[in-house]
Amino acid sequence: GDSVTQMEGPVTLSEEAFLTINCTYTATGYPSLFWYVQYPGEGLQLLLKATKADDKGSNKGFEATYRKETTSFHLEKGSVQVSDSAVYFCALSDLLRSNDYKLSFGAGTTVTVRA
Amino acid sequence: GAGVSQSPSNKVTEKGKDVELRCDPISGHTALYWYRQSLGQGLEFLIYFQGNSAPDKSGLPSDRFSAERTGGSVSTLTIQRTQQEDSAVYLCASSFLGGAGEQYFGPGTRLTVT
């Protein structure tokens, strides 16, 4: 079945450091890929998405590129801030397989940015 | 406009009791999803509604779990005879049909079974 594997945390960084969170997926169809973020005490929010190979999603300084050849969707940010401290989830939906857009999530990566 | 709302935000119940969790999706969103977030299992899909019908119930963990949706809007997730392993945060999400199916999540209901 469809699955998402993301790097385990926790990840602790200093402000202005470079952040990468690795995400790889397994899917039978042509999935759409997402990064969701959960800030402390808040609900899940969509951070960015990509719907086809080579698409780049971007938002709030974060970027991720849909790489079909490596089945990856790694999240990057060049200079993190304390406000980026959150749990990040990689996810996919595979309409071809499931006939709906239900999301399969990775385990989540906790990121803490220190001032 | 208003986002997805869920109630209650917290629910503590005794083992063996029934509970009902409510989700109010974004107006106009025809698709509605329930997920569960727990320490041991991460984020798991439970059930999907399109309008009032549920074409995908594949994630419901047992027959103690059921859900309905009325008027193409509000949905209720019911857990009968709750067990301690049901303790989790139950998340509801909605989306409009089409596009990449990006989903908008509610704040969740934290269920604790004692």
Side-chain angles (χ1 to χ4, degrees):
Chain A
D2 296 345
S3 65
V4 176
T5 302
Q6 64 182 101
M7 63 183 281
E8 293 186 16
V11 174
T12 303
L13 303 163
S14 297
E15 238 179 351
E16 299 183 4
F18 184 86
L19 171 67
T20 298
I21 305 176
N22 289 340
C23 172
T24 57
Y25 67 89
T26 302
T28 53
Y30 298 93
S32 295
L33 302 173
F34 305 86
W35 278 99
Y36 279 83
V37 59
Q38 191 170 33
Y39 297 104
E42 299 185 17
L44 274 171
Q45 303 175 22
L46 177 66
L47 180 60
L48 53 84
K49 67 179 182 184
T51 59
K52 61 183 187 297
D54 300 325
D55 266 3
K56 178 186 283 188
S58 61
N59 186 24
K60 298 183 179 181
F62 289 89
E63 292 183 342
T65 301
Y66 189 146
R67 300 284 188 203
K68 190 164 168 52
E69 64 275 14
T70 54
T71 60
S72 65
F73 193 55
H74 305 322
L75 182 69
E76 297 181 337
K77 185 172 185 180
S79 177
V80 294
Q81 305 299 311
V82 172
S83 57
D84 294 324
S85 298
V87 183
Y88 293 83
F89 294 91
C90 186
L92 70 80
S93 66
D94 191 348
L95 181 65
L96 191 67
R97 173 177 173 79
S98 66
N99 206 33
D100 60 51
Y101 290 108
K102 68 184 175 194
L103 292 166
S104 297
F105 286 92
T109 302
T110 300
V111 174
T112 301
V113 180
R114 294 181 174 165
Chain B
V4 178
S5 61
Q6 293 185 246
S7 60
S9 55
N10 279 284
K11 176 73 176 177
V12 180
T13 190
E14 292 180 353
K15 178 181 170 181
K17 302 277 190 180
D18 298 351
V19 295
E20 283 189 355
L21 312 179
R22 177 189 168 107
C23 172
D24 216 323
I26 293 172
S27 177
H29 281 191
T30 58
L32 186 147
Y33 300 80
W34 284 97
Y35 295 87
R36 179 167 73 171
Q37 186 174 23
S38 58
L39 279 177
Q41 302 297 323
L43 271 156
E44 308 171 278
F45 165 79
L46 297 177
I47 187 170
Y48 156 65
F49 285 93
Q50 182 57 245
N52 291 337
S53 63
D56 191 346
K57 306 178 183 179
S58 61
L60 294 178
S62 76
D63 58 9
R64 295 187 295 104
F65 288 72
S66 62
E68 65 175 11
R69 189 179 184 195
T70 55
S73 180
V74 171
S75 176
T76 303
L77 177 69
T78 301
I79 309 173
Q80 296 178 311
R81 306 181 301 281
T82 51
Q83 304 294 311
Q84 287 187 331
E85 62 262 28
D86 300 335
S87 296
V89 177
Y90 289 81
L91 297 171
C92 175
S94 70
S95 71
F96 60 88
L97 194 61
E102 59 187 81
Q103 296 174 28
Y104 297 84
F105 283 80
T109 293
R110 181 174 296 278
L111 175 67
T112 303
V113 182
T114 61

